[in-house]
Amino acid sequence: MSQHHDDHPEHGHIKLEYQPALPIPNGKLCLWLFLSTEIMFFAGLIGAYIVLRFGAPTWPSPHDVHLSEPIGAFNTFVLICSSLSVVLSLEAAKADKAGRAKFWMFVTFVLGLAFLGVKGYEYKEKFAHGIYPAHPHGLLYDKPDVYYASSVKVALEDAAKHCTTQIELVDKSASEIAEAKAEIEEAEEAKDQEAKTKAEEKLAAAQKVNEEAVAMADTYRERREKMELLRDGLVQWNTRAATQNPNPVEGQALMDSIAYTIQHPHEDEEELTRLVEEKGTLATKLAELEQAEEQDPQEIALVKNRLKLIDYLTADDAAILRHGVNHTYDWVDLPFVIPSGNMWASTYFLLTGFHAIHVLVGLIVFAVALPVTLGVSKATFIEAAGLYWHFVDLVWIFLFPILYLF
């Protein structure tokens, strides 16, 4: 609403003029309404995360879930720089310097892409370690119980089967070589050059597979032996002892030992001490079983497997026990336990995923604007896009500390 003195100020009348809208462009008004809903949306998500995070009895540290604080800080710096560049683009557009405005918008676009690239790398690292928001791809378990032990057993058996399949390739390829040689002889007798060529190609392929299989056969035999030893001497032994133990605390400690051996967050000398003491006890028990009048071959075999496992875990200054099976062997990914890990994964991927979608929307807006001449006539558009981008940056400023630092 504005007021004007009429052409005859001596009369002292005030003339009112009706303006049918708020004193801002409609586009900017719609943007602010949209951002207000987005603020409520992210406030709800972040608030729910804070309640779950500080209400949980335990929460994984960034190291436990392969979260890198320097990488998160770098991404924060990238977004802050992108906010600066979009402001510079707006100032250039207001000055009707279209070329400079386009340059700074391109810089903003590249910085946004860099943010998404780093986020994609972080996601890749999580997926590579079996950290998914849900099963069946996820290898995360919240606690070591019978379900966890069953999952580890299945994974060990699958790994052993894979090794067996690779070992069988030696015999299979050898059979194919013999078959291909016979086909070559038949083709030569029949003077069928086309059949001979196909047989020679088949022979070459089989020989290549055979060479690779023979070279890796011993490695796969060694891996299969380790998987079977872990299945029999660790998972089955501890599960049976835990279910037979009348003390629930001691039973849970045995289940914890499975998770600790597979992947433990921190070194614990107590586990090594416990295994050394158990070895002494089992050696005495084995001697008694072997000297008994009525021997139990199955029990003797179980005790021998357990002793063999303890030797395996405590060899070379307990290297495997100190680092965990998953960290020692990069060729196997066994299910592992992180208390509240599934809750962490769900909230992490939900918050960062929605934020990444908003970043992607902003990049699409910038990509659409880049081919256009960004003169003074487009200043309002750049201002609106910049407001949205500042909001995206502001959300990340909140997400970075609560996800990476606390």
Side-chain angles (χ1 to χ4, degrees), residues 288-295:
E288 293 174 355
L289 288 172
E290 291 177 336
Q291 293 172 2
E293 293 183 0
E294 295 183 3
Q295 293 186 353

Side-chain angles (χ1 to χ4, degrees), residues 177-197:
I177 289 172
E179 186 179 337
K181 287 181 177 178
E183 290 177 2
I184 291 174
E185 291 178 1
E186 291 177 4
E188 287 176 344
E189 291 176 1
K191 297 183 178 178
D192 187 344
Q193 186 58 38
E194 183 178 354
K196 182 182 177 182
T197 303

Side-chain angles (χ1 to χ4, degrees), residues 83-282:
S83 270
L84 174 62
S85 61
V86 78
V87 169
L88 293 175
S89 177
L90 174 62
E91 293 301 317
K94 286 181 177 177
D96 206 16
K97 297 179 180 177
R100 187 175 293 276
K102 185 171 293 188
F103 169 76
W104 286 117
M105 182 161 286
F106 178 74
V107 171
T108 308
F109 181 77
V110 171
L111 290 173
L113 282 180
F115 176 86
L116 286 185
V118 173
K119 186 52 64 183
Y121 170 77
E122 283 192 321
Y123 276 24
K124 178 176 173 290
E125 287 297 301
K126 306 292 173 296
F127 297 154
H129 289 88
I131 300 176
Y132 285 82
H135 291 289
H137 300 294
L139 299 176
L140 262 174
Y141 280 78
D142 281 343
K143 59 182 179 180
D145 51 15
V146 291
Y147 300 105
Y148 169 70
S150 175
S151 178
V152 174
K153 180 185 173 186
V154 170
L156 289 169
E157 290 175 345
D158 288 344
K161 286 179 184 176
H162 173 70
C163 293
T164 301
T165 302
Q166 296 299 317
I167 295 169
E168 290 175 348
L169 277 180
V170 177
D171 296 333
K172 184 180 178 182
S173 58
S175 174
E176 290 177 350
I177 289 172
E179 186 179 337
K181 287 181 177 178
E183 290 177 2
I184 291 174
E185 291 178 1
E186 291 177 4
E188 287 176 344
E189 291 176 1
K191 297 183 178 178
D192 187 344
Q193 186 58 38
E194 183 178 354
K196 182 182 177 182
T197 303
K198 290 183 178 178
E200 287 176 343
E201 292 174 353
K202 181 179 177 181
L203 175 62
Q207 286 176 333
K208 182 180 179 182
V209 172
N210 183 263
E211 290 175 3
E212 295 174 352
V214 168
M216 291 295 295
D218 290 340
T219 301
Y220 280 111
R221 287 192 186 93
E222 184 181 348
R223 291 179 181 180
R224 182 175 62 183
E225 183 180 348
K226 290 174 180 173
M227 295 298 101
E228 292 173 345
L229 181 60
L230 286 168
R231 180 197 60 193
D232 299 336
L234 177 67
V235 180
Q236 291 187 346
W237 175 276
N238 281 30
T239 304
R240 189 187 71 153
T243 54
Q244 292 177 350
N245 197 318
N247 188 331
V249 176
E250 294 178 358
Q252 186 58 51
L254 289 166
M255 302 303 288
D256 291 344
S257 176
I258 298 175
Y260 183 86
T261 306
I262 301 301
Q263 179 167 315
H264 56 83
H266 308 289
E267 289 188 7
D268 185 359
E269 291 297 326
E270 291 183 4
E271 180 68 9
L272 176 59
T273 303
R274 193 185 68 78
L275 286 177
V276 172
E277 292 175 353
E278 183 184 356
K279 181 180 178 180
T281 304
L282 287 178

Side-chain angles (χ1 to χ4, degrees), residues 17 25 47 67 82 115 125 149 159 201 206 210 230 276-277 284 291 298 321 328 334 336 355:
E17 183 178 302
L67 204 60
S82 70
F115 176 86
E125 287 297 301
E201 292 174 353
N210 183 263
L230 286 168
V276 172
E277 292 175 353
T284 304
Q291 293 172 2
Q298 185 177 3
L321 191 65
T328 305
L334 299 176
F336 54 92
H355 180 261

